[in-house]
Amino acid sequence: KLLRVLEERRFERLGGNRSIHVDFRLISATNRPVDQFLRHGRFREDLYYRVNAFSIRLPSLRERPTDIAVLANRFIARYCAANGLPLDAKAFSPEALTRLHSYPWPGNIRELESTVSRAALSAPGRVIRDTDIEFLHPQATVTTSDAPPRVPTLAEAERAHIVRVLEGTAWNKKE
């Protein structure tokens, strides 16, 4: 039915008997290798050739590291605007940007956006430090030791966050 709509620009509603003409443009995206699915018979060839009239390949974030700082700054401005703060209320330290650049970003731009939001939320002051950045996939971080990274317990993560906030406020509990 989808092929018919793409070719004839007409469809019938479920239970209907009248043909409806539609004028649309189809834009589709995937994070899967469709050409491999095509070769293995897991994607219909006729559908592929109808929807693949014009193809744009957007490289992953790890393939374009120069975009990381630009996107991170855009996401921090969006976070500030959404929370009623001035757009320059939060900024990254050079060490934090270096840490963002050294991460492989398996979750791509969505992971970067959530990482930036988390860092902005947990950073006690105006400057987001490298210690304020927590990745979704800690096993994907670049480690210098041969030991596998250990995921902290909830109590350890909570304590570390409380200590970070207290250090950022000079141990002023009221703040």
Side-chain angles (χ1 to χ4, degrees), residues 1 4-5 10-22:
K1 290 188 177 192
R4 190 174 310 131
V5 171
R10 304 184 159 278
F11 74 96
E12 289 181 10
R13 287 192 177 124
L14 187 62
N17 55 9
R18 199 177 88 227
S19 182
I20 300 171
H21 176 74
V22 289

Side-chain angles (χ1 to χ4, degrees), residues 13-124:
R13 287 192 177 124
L14 187 62
N17 55 9
R18 199 177 88 227
S19 182
I20 300 171
H21 176 74
V22 289
D23 185 18
F24 67 95
R25 289 185 184 174
L26 177 69
I27 299 173
S28 59
T30 180
N31 62 349
R32 307 278 174 143
V34 179
D35 54 339
Q36 289 179 9
F37 284 4
L38 194 63
R39 273 184 258 138
H40 295 103
R42 294 180 59 197
F43 195 91
R44 286 184 55 162
E45 195 171 338
D46 50 350
L47 178 60
Y48 175 76
Y49 289 117
R50 290 225 175 117
V51 297
N52 194 25
F54 185 75
S55 181
I56 299 172
R57 183 187 176 279
L58 184 62
S60 67
L61 193 54
R62 74 179 132 291
E63 294 177 63
R64 45 192 177 113
T66 55
D67 290 354
I68 293 172
V70 174
L71 288 167
N73 286 318
R74 172 70 182 111
F75 293 146
I76 200 70
R78 185 186 296 170
Y79 170 86
C80 291
N83 289 290
L85 301 170
L87 294 182
D88 60 349
K90 298 273 186 180
F92 289 100
S93 70
E95 297 81 20
L97 286 174
T98 301
R99 184 159 188 211
L100 290 176
H101 277 281
S102 67
Y103 186 68
W105 299 108
N108 221 341
I109 293 175
R110 287 185 185 93
E111 183 181 5
L112 174 62
E113 184 173 14
S114 63
T115 299
V116 167
S117 295
R118 244 188 343 275
L121 184 63
S122 66

